[in-house]
Amino acid sequence: MTGVAPSDPKPPVGVDPTRASIARVYDAALNGKDNYEIDREVLRQVSEVAPEVNDLATDNRSFLIRACRFLAGQTDLTQYLDCGSGLPTAENTHQVVQRINPDTAVVYVDNDPVVLAHGRALLEENEHTHFSAADIFNPPEVLEDEVVCKHLDWTQPIVLLQVGTLHHYTGEHNPADVMQQYIDALPSGSYVAISHFLDPQNQYSEVARKMEEVFLHSPMGSGSFRTMAELQEMFCELEMIDPGLTLCADWWPDGPHLKPLNQVQHCIAGGIARKP
Ligand code: SAM
């Protein structure tokens, strides 16, 4: 069934609940409440080929939190540009990094109307946290954006987050070209974190390609699974930080894996790199 279920909250003005959105599908996969029936329908379709589909989102979000904790704790950078922030959830970038350095500036960028309608207020929680509605796949628009320019000092190193975003790029360029434009603009000493749906080119390749097929033809219409080599290309000439590009579940996990990873957990990878 598609459309608005009786239990669905009333959509904010201007939001079309008959079209799935990346931010809301992701929210649904994280067990959030800011989603509609059409968004949950996307996940139901994917779960027919990969019942553990929600773990794509869970592993991605856990990577984001660990990456932020690492960057805030191990570098002295106090400026973050979070591209594709998503809807506010249990723990958000500014909460993780400002817990370690309270003066850290975080600029979130997201163009989803629900994120704009009520996520923005929750994310702009304090004077160091800001929000812009620019298009993250149009680097000049982000780099020239008023909020981004006002709150980030581009003469000093910046952390750029592209976590769970680039697999939704449907433009004509290679996503590595999009990243190259950001990386060219970053000062030396900056860090870049990327996570992305993975075709692991092994026994899990088949499930990756099946999920991709469903995502691309679903009401969400995006979600490309790329190879490790294609993901590595997105870091351009940067120096990878140990352990390099790995499955999100394997990137400095919080502890040992006590149970084997399921098939979906082999289909999302991430890493962090530094601009020399
Ligand atoms: N980065 C968060 C994380 O990893 O937990 C959220 C990832 S969510 C899967 C992707 C986000 O990117 C969504 O909130 C979506 O609205 C946003 N997004 C997608 N395309 C965008 C675009 N062209 N410009 C701005 N935001 C975009």
Side-chain angles (χ1 to χ4, degrees), residues 21-27 30 57 60-65 82-87 89 91 93 109-113 115 132-138 141-142 161-169 195 197 222:
S21 102
I22 297 165
R24 297 189 327 239
V25 170
Y26 185 63
D27 177 72
L30 291 174
N60 180 73
R61 190 72 188 186
S62 302
F63 167 77
L64 170 73
I65 303 302
D82 187 349
C83 292
S85 55
L87 282 152
T89 176
E91 237 189 336
T93 299
V109 185
D110 205 296
N111 66 357
D112 184 277
V115 180
S132 155
D135 175 1
I136 59 169
F137 300 138
N138 183 352
E141 186 180 317
V142 174
L161 305 174
Q162 281 281 6
V163 179
T165 50
L166 291 158
H167 43 238
H168 294 296
Y169 174 68
S195 67
F197 292 161
S222 64

Side-chain angles (χ1 to χ4, degrees), residues 95-170:
Q95 290 154 339
V96 179
V97 300
Q98 289 173 354
R99 195 152 53 228
I100 296 169
N101 293 312
D103 294 338
T104 299
V106 177
V107 177
Y108 290 112
V109 185
D110 205 296
N111 66 357
D112 184 277
V114 175
V115 180
L116 292 175
H118 54 101
R120 178 181 212 151
L122 292 171
L123 291 172
E124 278 185 329
E125 203 173 45
N126 60 48
E127 58 177 328
H128 299 301
T129 312
H130 310 277
F131 193 98
S132 155
D135 175 1
I136 59 169
F137 300 138
N138 183 352
E141 186 180 317
V142 174
L143 297 169
E144 288 160 23
D145 180 79
E146 204 183 319
V147 178
V148 170
C149 293
K150 182 168 172 200
H151 298 288
L152 299 178
D153 175 358
W154 288 80
T155 68
Q156 297 300 316
I158 290 174
V159 174
L160 174 75
L161 305 174
Q162 281 281 6
V163 179
T165 50
L166 291 158
H167 43 238
H168 294 296
Y169 174 68
T170 53

Side-chain angles (χ1 to χ4, degrees), residues 202-232:
N202 55 22
Q203 71 265 42
Y204 305 108
S205 206
E206 190 181 341
V207 74
R209 290 305 173 192
K210 281 185 181 167
M211 287 192 283
E212 177 179 71
E213 178 73 11
V214 180
F215 273 131
L216 294 180
H217 296 98
S218 75
M220 188 171 77
S222 64
S224 297
F225 287 66
R226 296 189 169 90
T227 64
M228 276 292 192
E230 289 171 314
L231 267 61
Q232 190 62 63

Side-chain angles (χ1 to χ4, degrees), residues 71 75-81 104-105 151-160 185-192 274-276:
L71 287 160
T75 77
D76 52 8
L77 272 61
T78 54
Q79 313 191 83
Y80 287 69
L81 178 59
T104 299
H151 298 288
L152 299 178
D153 175 358
W154 288 80
T155 68
Q156 297 300 316
I158 290 174
V159 174
L160 174 75
L186 289 172
S188 162
S190 293
Y191 285 78
V192 172
R274 181 180 180 276
K275 184 165 177 175

